Amino acid sequence: MAENPTVKLGVLISGTGSNLQAIIDAILRGDLKAEIRLVISNRADAPGLERARRHGIETGVIEHRQFPSREDFDHAVLAALRARSVELVALAGFMRLLSPVMLDAFPGSIMNIHNSLLPSFPGIHGPKDAIDYGVKIAGCTVFFVTPGVDVGPVIVQAAVPVMPGDDEQSLAARILQQEHRIFPHAISLFQQGRLEIHGRQVIIKGDSSTTQSSSPLVNPAVIDPKS
Ligand code: GRF
């Protein structure tokens, strides 16, 4: 896909909307060439709606409970996004599975963020599952949405250490800081036309970050006895 001067975004939320805020902030800083055409929440009480309104972004509430089926709900969401010429859909803490109605309408153009290093710990308790399993490194993943739960091709991941004494909250907070960095980054790569999906692989064209990304995260750190 070619570079798009400004990608038209639709953001779907269900809750706090801190990832939505990170996208808004990246746009305001000039780091992300995007325009949020619409924020949709499936919950009328989602605090993220207020974040959008504060920035003069149009919001809509489409409550899934009002619809007899997942498909009917998706048709309503799709109509709202289409009416605003949305090109990329960002799921920012959106707690509903999408049906083929949405997936087929936006092929390779729906991104989600998840608070684990997929394919480990899919589902709604990523940080808790990481703590319970005892992993030393956790993180977050931005991926293209495909049918299934948290299974689509991976675009960007960030890793963080699990520290002694961490609980679900402290680990989730550490991960969330990285979510706020990688979600706008992934959207920016899309806007620049640099993402190509080949099966499970997302090829990032013109990636010059290999050198800076190649330092390993080892936790607990290996202390070199000679140093
Ligand atoms: C994030 O941790 C995201 O990974 C998960 O839900 C949380 C949403 O947070 N899917 P927010 O609403 O963006 O603050």
Side-chain angles (χ1 to χ4, degrees):
M1 210 186 289
E3 172 154 3
N4 179 342
T6 310
V7 63
K8 299 182 186 74
L9 279 182
V11 184
L12 308 193
I13 63 169
S14 299
T16 315
S18 70
N19 278 290
L20 164 67
Q21 188 69 56
I23 296 167
I24 294 171
D25 292 346
I27 294 171
L28 291 176
R29 282 197 310 272
D31 292 345
L32 173 60
K33 293 178 183 151
E35 181 195 348
I36 303 178
R37 303 296 289 250
L38 180 64
V39 172
I40 297 175
S41 173
N42 66 315
R43 298 177 54 109
D45 59 355
L49 287 168
E50 186 47 37
R51 295 181 191 266
R53 290 187 197 115
R54 227 182 285 142
H55 291 276
I57 297 167
E58 186 184 2
T59 60
V61 174
I62 304 180
E63 288 184 301
H64 59 275
R65 281 192 229 93
Q66 310 282 331
F67 295 86
S69 71
R70 197 176 289 282
E71 287 74 18
D72 288 315
F73 169 75
D74 278 13
H75 275 298
V77 171
L78 177 58
L81 297 172
R82 282 253 164 89
R84 279 125 189 120
S85 307
V86 162
E87 298 162 318
L88 176 67
V89 181
L91 308 186
F94 180 66
M95 305 304 281
R96 301 287 304 165
L97 274 184
L98 294 176
S99 75
V101 170
M102 274 290 290
L103 299 180
D104 294 345
F106 288 99
S109 307
I110 305 178
M111 285 184 189
N112 195 3
I113 179 108
H114 180 64
N115 50 10
S116 78
L117 285 176
L118 292 172
S120 293
F121 316 126
I124 59 171
H125 300 296
K128 178 177 188 307
D129 293 342
I131 295 268
D132 290 350
Y133 194 91
V135 294
K136 300 297 188 202
I137 293 175
C140 48
T141 305
V142 182
F143 60 98
F144 282 116
V145 179
T146 56
V149 180
D150 299 333
V151 290
V154 171
I155 306 166
V156 186
Q157 293 186 302
V160 302
V162 180
M163 306 302 280
D166 258 342
D167 59 13
E168 181 184 353
Q169 282 71 35
S170 61
L171 179 60
R174 190 174 309 120
I175 294 171
L176 194 60
Q177 286 184 345
Q178 299 309 312
E179 294 183 42
H180 296 165
R181 298 176 67 207
I182 68 172
F183 209 180
H185 177 47
I187 295 168
S188 180
L189 291 171
F190 183 95
Q191 173 270 321
Q192 293 170 56
R194 292 174 58 192
L195 300 181
E196 260 176 30
I197 306 173
H198 298 260
R200 283 217 54 84
Q201 314 298 322
V202 176
I203 310 297
I204 299 171
K205 292 188 284 181
D207 187 12
S208 58
S209 68
T210 327
T211 335
Q212 79 186 57
S213 303
S214 63
S215 55
L217 172 61
V218 180
N219 182 43
V222 180
I223 310 293
D224 183 348
K226 289 192 285 300
S227 66

